[in-house]
Amino acid sequence: MTDEPLLRVSALSKFYGSRVGCDNVSFDLSPGEVLAVVGESGSGKTTVLNCLSTRLLPSSGTASYRMRDGQFRELYRMSEAERRFLMRTDWGFVHQNPADGLRMTVSAGANVGERLMAVGDRHYGKIRATAVDWLSRVEIDEDRIDDEPRAFSGGMRQRLQIARNLVTGPRLVFMDEPTGGLDVSVQARLLDLLRGLVTDLGLAAIVVTHDLAVARLLSQRMMVMKDGRVVESGLTDRVLDDPRAPYTQLLVSSILQV
Amino acid sequence: MTDIATYNFAYLDEQTKRMIRRAILKGIAIPGYQVPFASREMPMPYGWGTGGVQVTASIIGPDDVLKVIDQGADDTTNAVSIRAFFKKVANVAVTTDTASATIIQTRHRIPEHPLTAGQVLVYQVPIPEPLRFLEPRETETRKMHALEEYGLMHVKLYEDIARHGRIATTYAYPVKVEGRYVMDPSPTPKFDNPKMHRSPALQLFGAGREKRIYAVPPFTEVVSLDFEDHPFEVQTFDQPCALCAAENVYLDEVILDDHGGHMFVCSDTDHCEKRREEGHRGHLAPEMTEPAQ
């Protein structure tokens, strides 16, 4: 175990014409660390996520990732082939809407197996056994393996999407509102599952959410964004219990109490 | 004045043929790669072989001997029309004999008679993109080819095995050409896939509506995709051809009456006729007829 970070982000900015997507965002992410990015809609948190996952190229700034061989590589200088390879082996991306991250017209088993086949696995029996294993880890019954995700509920689809992303043993997972649009009991189970998986696998994750409770449960560290800028960052408990920036104080005090 | 005076030789104008030949040469240089080309309107509807006809028109010369088959048969509408078309616009010799043809335009079969060096097989292709039904975006599939991202192709085969217990794809079975590009061999039965492998003949593929040309040069590796524990295999038939008793050929089912009567006969009519001339007899073959008086 080294003390070196997994991901180093420095002065990342993205402008959409004259509008600011995100401005001067810098942070380090350690292996196994979960960072929550919170803020209201339009604060630039999804822009940050998309830039880091190379789905979007930033206007300026750098991000370097420590590859499995220990070498830092700058994300925006890699070739597209390398980036896409990274994306389907060492990284995962969990979309808010599972339909964006799943192939809705192929079976659950094939959804989980796709990444394995993409990296060259050519043994049907082994691929299927791995798929069965992963479905059980995300609490989907084995007999649903040949069903299409269209036949799944929202919570099941989200769990399937997580399995599909984790099957190649990634080290870094990006999550965009992973519990958005789910009702609270389903949300609770999903969070429980995610927390277990992240701890068991030692995953590093960047979770974008507007739900502070999700951030509290999942993350160790937190970054609060407003208008494309980071207004406050620190340990999650510290930020939520002792918010310093006026905007964070407003955000924390806006949580509805039941 | 001959019949061909009203047309340029082989129907297409010389500039168009030149453009198509360039696409063909590029296709040959990059086996299995789909080369875009400016497909022309042809005097036939899309889906009837406009791509194949344009390729044939661009490579045919006055000395060529043309054979056209449709599902293996020389005597079906499509085959007869295209053969008549080239007879009219290029005044070339036509044949049904596989061995003596120099260009064979085909819709969905490779002849049973082994092809030889110097022959050209022209395929009519409806959908050239093997990844089309898995990934609808052309921009994305082109990128996948460029980056050699073919995991998705195996997803399709995985689905087959999960649903049917075996790879149920029987035609348009994806192949990898020369270890690089995944290619759709057009909707030929997978029975014909092994014939493409290291074939001495040049194989050209034309898709008119989709505006793509691709090629497999002679003696090129063509490997059908499969899984280690579910290897590729071709169709087998329980009985020989009912007319010529041929085995290990691709058979068509022909309905004989309204009471469920049927027979299996060679899909390659030329092959079947040659065998019957040689005296091979299947169990439903008519008796030898006396020569006409």
Side-chain angles (χ1 to χ4, degrees):
Chain A
M1 201 71 192
T2 69
D3 293 337
E4 277 192 295
L6 190 63
L7 184 71
R8 275 190 194 135
V9 183
S10 132
L12 195 74
S13 301
K14 172 75 189 176
F15 300 99
Y16 300 102
S18 60
R19 305 217 181 284
V20 180
C22 64
D23 189 15
N24 203 16
V25 175
S26 305
F27 65 90
D28 282 358
L29 185 74
S30 299
E33 186 183 25
V34 180
L35 171 74
V37 183
V38 300
E40 60 195 10
S41 313
S43 61
K45 47 194 199 309
T46 301
T47 301
V48 169
L49 194 73
N50 284 341
C51 283
L52 291 177
S53 58
T54 71
R55 296 154 58 82
L56 206 63
L57 284 181
S59 311
S60 65
T62 57
S64 38
Y65 179 72
R66 188 154 56 80
M67 310 292 280
R68 291 198 185 214
D69 61 6
Q71 298 296 313
F72 274 96
R73 292 290 306 277
E74 199 162 319
L75 292 181
Y76 310 118
R77 288 174 190 266
M78 285 186 187
S79 69
E80 184 167 19
E82 286 174 307
R83 268 189 269 135
R84 284 171 75 121
F85 184 74
L86 198 62
M87 196 77 210
R88 60 174 195 256
T89 53
D90 221 19
W91 289 2
F93 196 108
V94 177
H95 295 261
Q96 175 175 9
N97 179 4
D100 295 337
L102 292 172
R103 288 195 192 279
M104 299 303 279
T105 51
V106 303
S107 69
N111 263 294
V112 177
E114 180 178 342
R115 276 178 160 230
L116 296 173
M117 293 182 253
V119 294
D121 219 321
R122 293 288 178 267
H123 192 285
Y124 175 82
K126 285 183 199 157
I127 293 167
R128 197 165 169 89
T130 313
V132 168
D133 176 45
W134 268 102
L135 289 181
S136 72
R137 287 167 86 163
V138 296
E139 299 164 17
I140 295 176
D141 282 341
E142 191 184 327
D143 61 5
R144 302 300 300 269
I145 188 169
D146 292 330
D147 291 352
E148 289 178 9
R150 281 191 289 210
F152 286 9
S153 69
M156 276 174 85
R157 287 181 190 184
Q158 199 54 287
R159 294 203 298 274
L160 179 63
Q161 194 192 179
I162 289 163
R164 171 182 159 91
N165 273 287
L166 298 187
V167 68
T168 48
R171 295 189 302 159
L172 174 60
V173 180
F174 301 98
M175 299 186 208
D176 189 4
E177 307 275 5
T179 57
L182 300 176
D183 58 61
V184 284
S185 59
V186 175
Q187 218 181 80
R189 266 179 72 203
L190 187 74
L191 283 173
D192 207 30
L193 176 82
L194 267 178
R195 201 149 70 142
L197 286 172
V198 165
T199 322
D200 289 351
L201 304 169
L203 286 177
I206 298 176
V207 184
V208 159
T209 179
H210 61 261
D211 187 338
L212 294 178
V214 169
R216 166 92 85 175
L217 265 174
L218 282 179
S219 69
Q220 290 106 33
R221 220 147 53 88
M222 187 161 163
M223 212 161 77
V224 184
M225 293 190 70
K226 171 141 178 52
D227 298 332
R229 290 182 184 82
V230 178
V231 294
E232 183 164 2
S233 63
L235 296 176
T236 303
D237 288 339
R238 203 280 295 156
V239 173
L240 291 179
D241 294 341
D242 177 21
R244 289 175 193 171
Y247 175 70
T248 319
Q249 293 173 353
L250 176 77
L251 203 65
V252 171
S253 61
S254 309
I255 301 174
L256 290 177
Q257 301 296 328
V258 183
Chain B
M1 196 170 143
T2 64
D3 283 346
I4 69 168
T6 45
Y7 290 104
N8 190 36
F9 179 78
Y11 187 76
L12 292 175
D13 62 276
E14 295 304 315
Q15 280 303 313
T16 298
K17 285 195 271 190
R18 189 180 149 95
M19 173 270 294
I20 293 173
R21 284 175 198 141
R22 288 175 70 107
I24 293 171
L25 286 174
K26 184 169 179 181
I28 293 170
I30 318 171
Y33 172 73
Q34 298 167 45
V35 185
F37 79 110
S39 177
R40 298 291 190 246
E41 292 287 329
M42 295 303 281
M44 60 205 291
Y46 286 137
W48 284 65
T50 52
V53 164
Q54 288 179 78
V55 170
T56 302
S58 304
I59 60 171
I60 203 164
D63 303 330
D64 274 312
V65 182
L66 179 70
K67 170 184 164 82
V68 184
I69 52 175
D70 175 5
Q71 306 281 11
D74 293 278
D75 53 4
T76 48
T77 315
N78 202 212
V80 171
S81 318
I82 293 175
R83 206 159 52 225
F85 175 74
F86 279 110
K87 210 171 164 183
K88 183 170 183 183
V89 300
N91 200 23
V92 292
V94 294
T95 182
T96 58
D97 176 29
T98 303
S100 58
T102 57
I103 298 173
I104 303 170
Q105 182 171 332
T106 174
R107 176 168 174 261
H108 318 338
R109 269 316 306 282
I110 298 174
E112 304 290 355
H113 188 278
L115 301 176
T116 52
Q119 287 185 309
V120 184
L121 191 57
V122 178
Y123 296 75
Q124 302 170 196
V125 182
I127 295 163
E129 179 51 71
L131 302 161
R132 176 59 66 241
F133 294 107
L134 302 157
E135 174 53 66
R137 291 166 295 179
E138 176 77 11
T139 47
E140 184 67 13
T141 53
R142 287 184 76 82
K143 203 170 271 180
M144 290 162 85
H145 282 294
L147 300 176
E148 221 178 330
E149 273 182 20
Y150 291 132
L152 199 52
M153 206 70 247
H154 273 86
V155 170
K156 176 178 162 24
L157 301 179
Y158 171 97
E159 284 290 274
D160 262 10
I161 303 173
R163 286 204 184 127
H164 308 285
R166 65 194 161 81
I167 298 177
T169 304
T170 52
Y171 64 94
Y173 192 102
V175 293
K176 195 162 207 175
V177 182
E178 203 64 14
R180 177 59 179 85
Y181 283 97
V182 165
M183 184 186 92
D184 184 344
S186 88
T188 51
K190 66 179 174 182
F191 181 87
D192 286 339
N193 275 18
K195 293 182 197 163
M196 304 181 76
H197 179 61
R198 302 194 65 77
S199 166
L202 169 63
Q203 301 172 75
L204 302 177
F205 300 77
R209 181 184 50 207
E210 305 287 324
K211 302 176 172 48
R212 294 287 183 276
I213 283 174
Y214 51 105
V216 175
F219 303 107
T220 301
E221 301 274 330
V222 179
V223 180
S224 304
L225 301 181
D226 60 1
F227 283 104
E228 286 159 19
D229 47 347
H230 286 266
F232 171 78
E233 47 193 29
V234 299
Q235 293 102 326
T236 53
F237 298 91
D238 302 335
Q239 51 202 49
C241 171
L243 296 179
C244 76
E247 290 182 24
N248 301 320
V249 295
Y250 193 74
L251 301 180
D252 282 341
E253 184 179 10
V254 176
I255 306 293
L256 296 176
D257 52 39
D258 291 346
H259 313 293
H262 64 135
M263 65 176 180
F264 286 93
V265 295
C266 287
S267 114
D268 186 337
T269 52
D270 174 58
H271 181 77
C272 198
E273 277 162 23
K274 290 264 166 35
R275 278 181 59 87
R276 272 179 282 157
E277 277 166 22
E278 287 164 13
H280 296 282
R281 280 283 170 277
H283 68 282
L284 287 177
E287 290 306 306
M288 280 290 242
T289 46
E290 294 296 315
Q293 296 290 313

